């Protein structure tokens, strides 16, 4: 069912990647399904009250390899897909994702740790809203426009 939902807004390949990532993060008993407890844990995390809590949850979801960092390829896949879902063409989406990564990578080490990600997103409301809009039940939607638009 999740695959059908995401395939309606993403290509089949991207929907598959996104759903696999959700299962990787939330199917804690690795049985191929998300049971009620796992669903509640995921839902509670995504319904955080503050932007910072939502961004921490988003960081963990977007850190595909669970390395504790997000590299430029992960950022392109994440942010590029989100921009494409917003109707931005693929090339422009990739450019915006790369620009967002460069903006957030304040120490220029080629990866974002959780603090860089959260602090940078908190300063850039457009990026924070884009990333938060991909989480279920987000209450915060596009409020302002800043650096990467």
């Amino acid at each position: 069912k999740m695959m059908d939902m995401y395939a309606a807004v993403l290509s089949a390949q991207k929907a598959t990647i996104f759903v696999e990532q959700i299962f990787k993060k939330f199917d804690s008993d690795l049985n191929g399904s998300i049971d009620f407890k796992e669903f509640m844990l995921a839902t509670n995390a995504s319904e955080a009250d503050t932007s910072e809590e939502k961004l921490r949850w988003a960081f963990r979801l977007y850190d595909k390899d669970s390395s504790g960092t997000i590299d430029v390829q992960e950022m392109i896949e994440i942010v590029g897909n989100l921009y494409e879902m917003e109707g931005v063409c693929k090339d422009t989406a990739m450019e915006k994702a790369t620009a967002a990564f460069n903006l957030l990578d304040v120490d220029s080490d080629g990866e974002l740790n959780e603090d860089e990600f959260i602090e940078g997103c908190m300063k850039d409301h457009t990026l924070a809203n884009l990333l938060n809009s991909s989480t279920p039940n987000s209450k915060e939607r596009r409020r302002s426009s800043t650096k990467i638009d």
Side-chain angles (χ1 to χ4, degrees), residues 13-40:
Q13 179 183 8
K14 289 180 182 178
T16 300
I17 291 168
F18 194 71
V19 170
E20 285 174 357
Q21 186 64 18
I22 289 171
F23 272 80
K24 181 179 177 184
K25 295 293 181 179
F26 298 114
D27 181 17
S28 59
D29 59 7
L30 304 174
N31 69 351
S33 65
I34 296 178
D35 62 28
F36 184 72
K37 178 183 174 186
E38 292 163 334
F39 175 77
M40 291 306 294

Side-chain angles (χ1 to χ4, degrees), residues 10 14 72-98 100 127 130-131:
L10 295 171
K14 289 180 182 178
V72 71
Q73 285 308 119
E74 287 171 313
M75 189 70 156
I76 287 171
E77 186 173 324
I78 298 159
V79 178
N81 286 340
L82 294 174
Y83 274 119
E84 284 185 65
M85 287 172 57
E86 296 282 316
V88 175
C89 76
K90 184 176 183 165
D91 289 339
T92 302
M94 289 178 62
E95 289 172 16
K96 286 181 173 273
T98 302
L127 183 58
L130 176 72
L131 294 170

Side-chain angles (χ1 to χ4, degrees), residues 21 24-26 41 44-46 48 52-70 74 78 114 117-118:
Q21 186 64 18
K24 181 179 177 184
K25 295 293 181 179
F26 298 114
L41 289 171
N44 285 340
S46 69
E52 183 175 343
E53 290 170 338
K54 289 177 187 178
L55 289 168
R56 286 193 189 286
W57 185 85
F59 179 87
R60 288 188 294 275
L61 181 63
Y62 300 150
D63 177 15
K64 290 184 63 173
D65 60 4
S66 299
S67 65
T69 61
I70 296 174
E74 287 171 313
I78 298 159
E114 189 172 349
F117 179 81
I118 291 165

